[in-house]
Amino acid sequence: MATAILGTAYPTAPMRLLITGAAGMLAHDVTDAARAAGHEPVALSRAELDITDRAAVRNAVDSASAECVINCAAFTDVDGCESREDEAHAVNGTGAGSLAAAAAAAGAWTLHVSSDYVFDGTKSRPYVETDPVRPMSAYGRSKLAGESAVAEAAPGRHTIVRSSWLFGAHGRSFPATILRLAGERDQLTVVDDQVGCPTFTGHLGRALIELAERCPAGIVHVAGAGQCSWFEFAREIVRVSGRDCDVVPGKTADLARPAPRPAYSVLGTERPADAPRLAPWQEGLAEFMTLQVAS
Ligand SMILES: NC(=O)c1ccc[n+]([C@@H]2O[C@H](COP(=O)([O-])OP(=O)(O)OC[C@H]3O[C@@H](n4cnc5c(N)ncnc54)[C@H](OP(=O)(O)O)[C@@H]3O)[C@@H](O)[C@H]2O)c1
């Protein structure tokens, strides 16, 4: 049994893994990666396990008999969080904490997924794990609350993985939206004043399984290699698709979205021995495009 992320292989015995938020974009690929690595995933959608229901969480964790609980469940509507901050905290904060508490009580490791939105985006060099956090949005505050709740509920028994700008085949994603719009319009305006690391969930899913096998404690940053603006990302999506559509740069302020976004969201790591290295985002996009053609 082995998984490989840019050449690193970790042989491991089959594990039982409980995966929450199983109908979501990342959870789909985590579940597939778990099966491909020979593990036994128990993947529960929100309808099967609502992580805000403490008793249900305890029951599900106990009956899964998992060695690792991977929390992909989250309230991910960044703008919606601004007007529904209590709900966001219940899922992303308290829910994450009660899952970690149940995992710790059952002797399981917690692998929790967090976000670049815990940072304020004012840096101009990649954010590393120990950089000060200062979320600008309700979503970011709720994700930070989740990190604290997990750390408190399962001290020394958790990995928190911060990632950014996810895109995958099983959910609403930026590349899918750009492909659709580029088929409908001659010109698209996309902001060039937010810079980050697009991360293909096929790659991140495999990295999360590798982390579940190794269980490094604490926070690790894992994102697609390289960086770009949304404008550059969109231009590359249109280019590789062969669509005939102009992509022109715009500004975030012109969109007037409810939630502020970090201007600079590039994630780096100061834990190179622990953080799996992902392929460049362009390779993730190429894999994503292959899946679009196949579907
Ligand atoms: N998307 C990004 O760009 C990005 C960037 C950095 C980090 N992340 C993090 O990556 C993780 C996965 O995100 P994703 O993009 O895969 O999100 P997603 O597609 O929205 O998946 C999240 C899943 O969680 C479920 N969920 C919501 N509330 C729940 C609850 N109370 N109990 C159980 N499940 C619940 C959702 O179900 P419903 O659809 O029924 O609500 C959905 O299936 C999250 O922790 C997110 O914060 C995402």
Side-chain angles (χ1 to χ4, degrees):
M1 216 76 45
T3 56
I5 312 291
L6 288 188
T8 316
Y10 296 90
T12 174
M15 298 170 70
R16 272 178 77 77
L17 304 168
L18 175 61
I19 300 165
T20 60
M25 181 168 66
L26 176 61
H28 253 103
D29 286 335
V30 174
T31 306
D32 286 353
R35 289 206 182 94
H39 299 306
E40 297 166 34
V42 177
L44 301 180
S45 68
R46 177 191 196 150
E48 294 160 321
L49 175 63
D50 180 337
I51 66 163
T52 64
D53 181 339
R54 214 177 274 260
V57 163
R58 271 198 304 267
N59 279 340
V61 170
D62 287 345
S63 54
S65 302
E67 286 136 287
C68 179
V69 174
I70 305 179
N71 184 23
C72 296
F75 188 130
T76 55
D77 174 357
V78 172
D79 288 324
C81 285
E82 292 297 314
S83 53
R84 297 161 67 194
E85 189 158 1
D86 288 351
E87 277 175 70
H89 270 268
V91 182
N92 297 346
T94 318
S98 45
L99 193 61
W109 192 264
T110 296
L111 185 55
H112 174 70
V113 183
S114 192
S115 164
D116 54 324
Y117 276 47
V118 298
F119 296 117
D120 64 10
T122 55
K123 256 187 106 177
S124 51
R125 290 166 62 84
Y127 281 97
V128 294
E129 289 84 353
T130 54
D131 273 323
V133 287
R134 197 172 78 93
M136 305 163 68
S137 62
Y139 172 73
R141 288 190 290 276
S142 72
K143 293 300 290 183
L144 182 58
E147 291 188 4
S148 306
V150 167
E152 197 174 308
R157 297 276 302 156
H158 67 271
T159 311
I160 292 169
V161 179
R162 292 192 187 126
S163 194
S164 73
W165 290 26
L166 303 191
F167 66 98
H170 303 284
R172 271 184 302 173
S173 72
F174 181 77
T177 302
I178 294 296
L179 287 174
R180 177 176 55 77
L181 293 176
E184 296 167 3
R185 302 183 190 171
D186 298 331
Q187 190 180 80
L188 292 178
T189 303
V190 183
V191 299
D192 69 353
D193 54 359
Q194 292 175 43
V195 173
C197 306
T199 303
F200 176 53
T201 50
H203 293 168
L204 180 60
R206 274 174 260 161
L208 291 184
I209 296 306
E210 185 198 309
L211 287 166
E213 292 165 355
R214 290 194 286 120
C215 299
I219 299 173
V220 290
H221 287 181
V222 185
Q227 64 179 64
C228 63
S229 67
W230 289 114
F231 160 71
E232 290 165 322
F233 192 18
R235 201 175 47 179
E236 183 64 4
I237 293 161
V238 170
R239 189 190 71 75
V240 298
S241 73
R243 300 271 208 286
D244 185 15
C245 176
D246 271 348
V247 182
V248 298
K251 296 296 166 206
T252 302
D254 295 334
L255 298 179
R257 304 277 288 272
R261 266 77 174 165
Y264 182 84
S265 257
V266 178
L267 295 180
T269 185
E270 58 190 7
R271 301 183 62 184
D274 293 321
R277 248 178 345 118
L278 300 195
W281 62 265
Q282 293 91 338
E283 288 181 30
L285 178 59
E287 274 194 50
F288 173 88
M289 294 301 291
T290 312
L291 296 170
Q292 299 301 295
V293 171
S295 66

